[in-house]
Amino acid sequence: MDQLNVASFGLGRITLQPTVGELADVTRKTYRVATGLNGKIGSGWTWDAYYQYGHTNFRQISPHNPIPTNFLLAVDAVRDANGNIVCRSTLTNPTNGCKPANPFGSGLMSPESIAYFTGTSDSSTDLEQNVVAANVQGKVFDTWAGAASIAAGLEYREDKIEGTADPISTASRFYTGNVTPIGGSIEVKEGYLETAIPLAANVTMAKSLEVNAAVRRTNYSTSGSVTTWKGGLVWEPIDLLRVRATRSRDIRAPNMVELYGALTSGIALVRDPVTNQDINSNTVAGGNPNLVPEIGDTTTFGVVLQPPSEILGGRFRLSVDHFDISLDEAIGTLGAQTIVNRCFQGDQSYCQYITRNAGGTITAIYNLSFNLNELITKGFDIELGYDRPIGEASRIGLRVLGTRVSKLTTVFVDGTKIDRSGQDGQPTSQVSGVPDWQVDTSLDFSHGPFATSLRVHWFTDGRYDNSLIGPDQAGYSITSPASISNNSTPGRTYLDLSASYSFKLANDTADVQVYGVINNLTDQDPPPAPSSTGAYNPTLYDPLGRMYRLGFRLNF
């Protein structure tokens, strides 16, 4: 290098050595014990009570995990006074154990060197739950349209989490997958009251009419008490038509992982708008003990069409439901890139989650669970089902489930909005959106012991990133930092085919079923659209291609 008059150069490698990488041995053990009692109280009333205990242990061991500080010392190799290749640090600290590593080529690193700059990360997490509950239900009074019913109950839950990790992980010295020790618990006490009251039955334009209501009071040891409620109406004007509507106040408290999940670190590609450079930044994910419950206001209404089977020669059902959900304090992660962008745009509440060194370079981004300001989603669900017999031993069935999402908007603290409906991509260091339409269809046929099914999953074309602008969109400019050369992602149609045949062994000693499945029948590849996990959005696109499975089930 001296002859070329070059003082330094950059070197990057995808893998360090065949034995060095992100390998993991994961073990999960779960057991659960439950017991309960039930009985009657007088006429028309029943009660039940139960206790449940559950325990899960999750352990992950990752050998050959690189330690960046040791690796930098190992590749900083020089010759000593005797001409031997040694670590430069060894010249001043002979007992530091450093072994020189050759980063060029493949298979040139010695086992001693690999042992020096890698280690085994080892983490273990225990989850424990105790639940005690009691319920009572019965009829409270009669109306001219029928009996009004009521249900009430009390419940107590206790969740605990405890996790340990090796010293190197605890100090965040591994390249990726660092886990920190954790511990925490949640106690929940709640009581509820529900009722359903019939208002009309078997009269003109009211085959049935019923209102229902519920209220629940919940106390969380981590965030205090909240009240939720629901009110609904179900109207069946004629036999084949039902109309339903619901308005509710709902909550979801943060779970143990969201509150106390271990901090784990990894590497993500982020564009720093301050320097306008792409960097591989250390990102830290994990729980946030300051989370509070999500509070949602939900409005749904829909219709169900279900004519008698003799009209269409089989069972037919069609339902269409509109949903409108507004969620305050929504719990989620934003992604490292969004955190950096929001800080650069002036939202100081996100800057505290970014660490920079003295030179201003980003060294860490904390992509934790947050209470986002607001999440709004609107759309509708469609379900269609039809099945009918064919002769005496055969049956055919069709089922279609479709969802149209017209809005999936995150509203930030300063009022800025991002709508991710129609976003099929999962941009690097950001979260995924949802397609405008998703439809799942299954066509089933059975004849005696034989059954087969064709399943179709389809979703629409979309955008890679709804916060960017492509050449086919208004406002595109090659000088704008919000523009991208291609902001389109294709939809997909996936076909899965399965079949099975059932029979009995001799003397009826066992039931046997032989089955086969072909997933992604047409071998659809995912489109290139970079994400944090690879070259495509794994939430939507199948990464494996055509896959076969053959097996049998045996029941004695």
Side-chain angles (χ1 to χ4, degrees), residues 327-406:
L327 191 64
D328 287 325
E329 305 292 353
I331 297 172
T333 58
L334 292 172
Q337 186 66 64
T338 301
I339 293 172
V340 172
N341 292 346
R342 298 299 302 155
C343 174
F344 178 74
Q345 293 162 1
D347 193 337
Q348 295 299 312
S349 63
Y350 293 99
C351 296
Q352 62 182 310
Y353 301 107
I354 304 171
T355 302
R356 296 179 182 268
N357 61 20
T361 301
I362 294 176
T363 57
I365 303 170
Y366 288 81
N367 183 31
L368 308 179
S369 296
F370 298 113
N371 281 111
L372 308 179
N373 190 42
E374 188 177 8
L375 179 66
I376 301 171
T377 183
K378 294 182 180 180
F380 56 86
D381 295 320
I382 300 174
E383 179 177 357
L384 183 150
Y386 178 74
D387 73 273
R388 61 170 295 168
I390 302 176
E392 296 183 357
S394 301
R395 179 171 288 275
I396 190 170
L398 173 69
R399 191 182 186 201
V400 181
L401 298 173
T403 297
R404 157 70 169 150
V405 178
S406 58

Side-chain angles (χ1 to χ4, degrees), residues 133-373:
N135 306 281
V136 62
Q137 49 274 321
K139 300 177 182 179
V140 287
F141 60 85
D142 289 316
T143 71
W144 69 275
S149 60
I150 193 172
L154 299 170
E155 183 172 315
Y156 171 82
R157 298 192 305 275
E158 179 188 49
D159 294 300
K160 295 181 181 179
I161 188 170
E162 182 176 351
T164 59
D166 63 273
I168 300 178
S169 293
T170 301
S172 295
R173 293 186 58 214
F174 283 118
Y175 176 72
T176 186
N178 293 296
V179 178
T180 58
I182 57 172
S185 64
I186 305 173
E187 290 186 355
V188 184
K189 305 168 186 175
E190 60 183 343
Y192 74 91
L193 180 66
E194 299 178 358
T195 186
I197 304 174
L199 301 180
N202 298 316
V203 296
T204 302
M205 292 304 295
K207 175 71 175 179
S208 68
L209 178 63
E210 179 185 278
V211 295
N212 54 75
V215 63
R216 182 181 294 260
R217 181 70 171 173
T218 308
N219 176 265
Y220 296 96
S221 60
T222 54
S223 54
S225 298
V226 290
T227 300
T228 55
W229 50 266
K230 182 197 80 167
L233 175 72
V234 180
W235 173 42
E236 190 175 354
I238 55 179
D239 279 338
L240 58 81
L241 179 64
R242 180 183 305 157
V243 180
R244 55 195 181 190
T246 302
R247 174 70 175 174
S248 65
R249 165 64 58 88
D250 311 296
I251 64 162
R252 189 186 75 85
N255 59 40
M256 297 294 289
V257 174
E258 291 168 334
L259 283 170
Y260 305 116
L263 298 180
T264 60
S265 64
I267 302 297
L269 180 65
V270 175
R271 171 162 285 270
D272 184 358
V274 174
T275 62
N276 201 31
Q277 293 181 341
D278 292 329
I279 60 170
N280 283 312
S281 173
N282 183 38
T283 60
V284 181
N288 181 354
N290 298 318
L291 294 174
V292 298
E294 301 172 335
I295 300 176
D297 290 309
T298 303
T299 301
T300 64
F301 58 86
V303 296
V304 180
L305 182 65
Q306 191 168 359
S309 59
E310 58 268 18
I311 295 179
L312 299 177
R315 292 180 298 180
F316 176 86
R317 186 178 188 272
L318 172 66
S319 64
V320 180
D321 292 280
H322 171 76
F323 58 85
D324 185 340
I325 304 171
S326 176
L327 191 64
D328 287 325
E329 305 292 353
I331 297 172
T333 58
L334 292 172
Q337 186 66 64
T338 301
I339 293 172
V340 172
N341 292 346
R342 298 299 302 155
C343 174
F344 178 74
Q345 293 162 1
D347 193 337
Q348 295 299 312
S349 63
Y350 293 99
C351 296
Q352 62 182 310
Y353 301 107
I354 304 171
T355 302
R356 296 179 182 268
N357 61 20
T361 301
I362 294 176
T363 57
I365 303 170
Y366 288 81
N367 183 31
L368 308 179
S369 296
F370 298 113
N371 281 111
L372 308 179
N373 190 42

Side-chain angles (χ1 to χ4, degrees), residues 1-85:
M1 299 301 293
D2 292 339
Q3 295 176 351
L4 297 176
N5 197 29
V6 176
S8 64
F9 67 94
L11 172 67
R13 292 188 56 157
I14 299 299
T15 59
L16 296 175
Q17 193 85 344
T19 55
V20 179
E22 299 178 23
L23 304 176
D25 181 9
V26 177
T27 303
R28 183 181 285 106
K29 298 178 181 179
T30 300
Y31 60 88
R32 173 178 171 269
V33 178
T35 183
L37 298 170
N38 61 76
K40 295 182 179 181
I41 307 174
S43 176
W45 287 81
T46 61
W47 64 272
D48 63 86
Y50 74 91
Y51 167 75
Q52 174 182 294
Y53 173 81
H55 183 275
T56 296
N57 173 262
F58 175 88
R59 187 178 183 186
Q60 179 169 311
I61 301 174
S62 300
H64 309 300
N65 199 348
I67 306 171
T69 53
N70 288 14
F71 179 70
L72 293 177
L73 293 177
V75 297
D76 185 14
V78 297
R79 294 186 183 274
D80 63 12
N82 298 320
N84 298 315
I85 299 177

